[in-house]
Amino acid sequence: MNNSKTSAIRLSLSHRALNLSAPGTSSMRSKANALKEKGIKVINFAAGELSFDACQEMKAGAIQAIEGARNRYTPPIGLPQLREKLAQQVSQRCGVSYAADEVAVTAGAKQALYNAAMVLLNPGDEVIVATPYWETFPTQILLAGGIPVLVDTRADDYRLTCKAVERALTPRTKMIVINTPNNPTGTVYQREQLLGIAQLAFDHQLWVVFDECYRKLVREPHEHHNIVSLFPALKQQTILVDSFSKSQAVTGWRIGYACAPAHVIAAMHNLQGHTTSNPSSLSQYAALNTLTADSPDFARKVNTFLDQQLVAACTCLGYVDGITCAPPEGAFYLFVDVSRHLGRYYLGTKIRDVDHLADLLLTEAHIAVVPGSGCGDPNSIRISYAVERAELIEGLTRFGQFMSEVVAD
């Protein structure tokens, strides 16, 4: 038998893998980078990150960890002292007591969300998710065998309402996902809305995944509310998910955490021990140093910058006809409805859909945006205004020029 020839057989992937696609943000980033390598100046509005360098406390903590040879494994769900510090700060912030065994440190908030889906959902369980959504939410639910139940929020200022949740409930409903401040829309949930949903979840004994990764990034005069702080009895049904990535400008360091009942955290420990094990030890020590310093200076500086950026962005977009935006109250996104331009023509080319529009904006105007199709909204695009000021103005000027050349036929 001759085994020297290369086999032409292509063995199949799992059904799970075949149903997965790359996130729209990473796909657009790859396309933008390919143009940049050709020497083309691309304005990247697709990245979900601040243009700032990491905060000084994070950097100092990482440097100290390197110099202290903090290179070894930690417990799978984080350093005990970091979990204790997080528990203290979350308790103080929420006015509800959390212990260290109710905290898991993860490789970014994305892992905390994945852990929650994997340890709480059984095949066929339904999970209520607001549309537009961060595209990872429904994907992770599907990976866990759950069924995303998508609730369109556009008629309600892009927020879940108690009535909308109630209409979506079935005997198979197991969980509700709430993301505030929201990605991709930038909306912030109001106190009364959260109280209504909390009461509904409590009455129906539903899990609530409360993703507040952008909680420190809120535009004045709006205010972030934590659902457990508003409704303490919901603590035993809630998984709080947070991250250092956005607020401390360390998206690449992969450090987040979940707060949940101790038995849920114990299950996450077991799962994480068999997947990634611990998050980066250096990132954990950096986070611990940041929590210990507890300085508001970086967040204050970032929000001042973002407030000014939003004013500039809205001024630029005010000159563009035929578009509207979701309420930009938090995070650093503008979710722009471009439905009036779809099906029209740009220099003789018919714009087939929002994905085609995003590709044209990249190839013709050299700006990268996230098409809303990946977020469950085929009529919108997401634009980040967390870029440098000069790039913001130049990019939105290009956007306005492009859209002015879109005609009916």
Side-chain angles (χ1 to χ4, degrees):
M1 185 174 183
N2 186 356
N3 294 321
S4 61
K5 292 184 179 180
T6 303
S7 172
I9 297 173
R10 182 173 180 175
L11 299 178
S12 63
L13 298 173
S14 69
H15 293 159
R16 185 185 306 108
L18 291 172
N19 289 326
L20 282 174
S21 58
T25 49
S26 59
S27 298
M28 189 55 66
R29 186 165 57 242
S30 297
K31 293 177 183 179
N33 288 338
L35 287 179
K36 288 180 180 179
E37 289 175 2
K38 296 179 181 179
I40 297 172
K41 182 181 178 181
V42 177
I43 306 296
N44 187 6
F45 290 138
E49 57 189 359
L50 294 165
S51 57
F52 280 60
D53 190 11
C55 82
Q56 289 301 315
E57 289 81 7
M58 288 289 288
K59 291 165 71 173
I63 291 168
Q64 291 165 15
I66 291 170
E67 292 177 343
R70 305 293 191 182
N71 308 315
R72 308 300 182 193
Y73 287 123
T74 75
I77 54 173
L79 294 162
Q81 59 268 46
L82 176 56
R83 294 172 67 198
E84 182 64 42
K85 193 68 177 178
L86 283 166
Q88 291 173 5
Q89 294 219 347
V90 173
S91 299
Q92 182 179 13
R93 176 166 65 85
C94 295
V96 177
S97 179
Y98 280 87
D101 65 356
E102 296 174 302
V103 178
V105 185
T106 56
K110 190 175 286 188
Q111 184 178 30
L113 293 164
Y114 180 74
N115 287 354
M118 292 299 289
V119 305
L120 296 178
L121 298 178
N122 290 313
D125 285 342
E126 293 180 353
V127 182
I128 294 173
V129 179
T131 302
Y133 47 73
W134 180 46
E135 55 190 316
T136 290
F137 287 139
T139 301
Q140 290 187 342
I141 292 163
L142 290 168
L143 285 172
I147 301 171
V149 176
L150 306 179
V151 177
D152 192 340
T153 63
R154 287 174 296 179
D156 296 307
D157 271 346
Y158 294 88
R159 300 174 182 88
L160 273 178
T161 65
C162 188
K163 288 184 178 179
V165 172
E166 197 163 20
R167 286 194 298 268
L169 290 177
T170 77
R172 299 170 71 181
T173 306
K174 183 73 170 289
M175 178 186 291
I176 303 170
V177 175
I178 300 174
N179 174 212
T180 179
N182 185 265
N183 174 12
T185 66
T187 55
V188 174
Y189 277 62
Q190 297 163 358
R191 183 178 185 274
E192 293 73 18
Q193 293 166 329
L194 291 176
L195 277 170
I197 295 172
Q199 184 69 62
L200 197 63
F202 184 77
D203 292 343
H204 290 267
Q205 298 182 2
L206 304 176
W207 288 107
V208 173
V209 171
F210 192 76
D211 180 346
E212 53 180 351
C213 289
Y214 294 91
R215 65 178 176 84
K216 290 188 175 182
L217 305 178
V218 179
R219 310 281 69 76
E220 293 184 353
H222 302 285
E223 184 180 354
H224 171 70
H225 299 284
N226 177 283
I227 198 165
V228 174
S229 180
L230 294 176
F231 199 103
L234 198 66
K235 179 193 172 187
Q236 294 306 313
Q237 298 169 225
T238 302
I239 295 83
L240 301 180
V241 176
D242 203 348
S243 171
F244 293 85
S245 297
K246 310 297 182 180
S247 59
Q248 308 301 320
V250 288
T251 50
W253 294 28
R254 310 315 304 141
I255 186 77
Y257 60 96
C259 298
H263 72 286
V264 176
I265 296 299
M268 288 186 178
H269 174 278
N270 295 340
L271 175 65
Q272 196 160 309
H274 289 293
T275 52
T276 62
S277 192
N278 64 270
S280 162
S281 60
L282 303 182
S283 296
Q284 289 189 64
Y285 281 104
L288 180 59
N289 191 62
T290 300
L291 292 171
T292 302
D294 195 23
S295 171
D297 293 346
F298 188 76
R300 187 182 298 119
K301 180 173 70 172
V302 168
N303 278 308
T304 298
F305 169 76
L306 291 177
D307 287 342
Q308 295 168 350
Q309 290 289 95
L310 179 58
V311 171
C314 290
T315 299
C316 290
L317 291 179
Y319 293 102
V320 183
D321 291 332
I323 63 169
T324 58
C325 291
E329 300 161 344
F332 39 72
Y333 303 118
L334 290 165
F335 199 63
V336 184
D337 187 324
V338 292
S339 55
R340 287 179 57 183
H341 297 271
L342 303 180
R344 295 190 173 193
Y345 292 82
Y346 173 75
L347 301 182
T349 298
K350 185 176 182 178
I351 302 174
R352 298 186 301 272
D353 51 34
V354 74
D355 296 276
H356 188 207
L357 174 62
D359 283 337
L360 287 171
L361 285 169
L362 183 60
T363 57
E364 303 298 324
H366 302 148
I367 57 175
V369 301
V370 176
S373 54
C375 308
D377 185 342
N379 296 312
S380 301
I381 59 174
R382 191 193 77 176
I383 293 174
S384 168
Y385 57 86
V387 299
E388 296 292 342
R389 174 63 63 85
E391 289 200 337
L392 178 71
I393 293 173
E394 180 179 350
L396 291 182
T397 300
R398 293 183 192 179
F399 175 72
Q401 180 61 39
F402 178 97
M403 298 303 264
S404 71
E405 295 177 14
V406 175
V407 296
D409 52 33

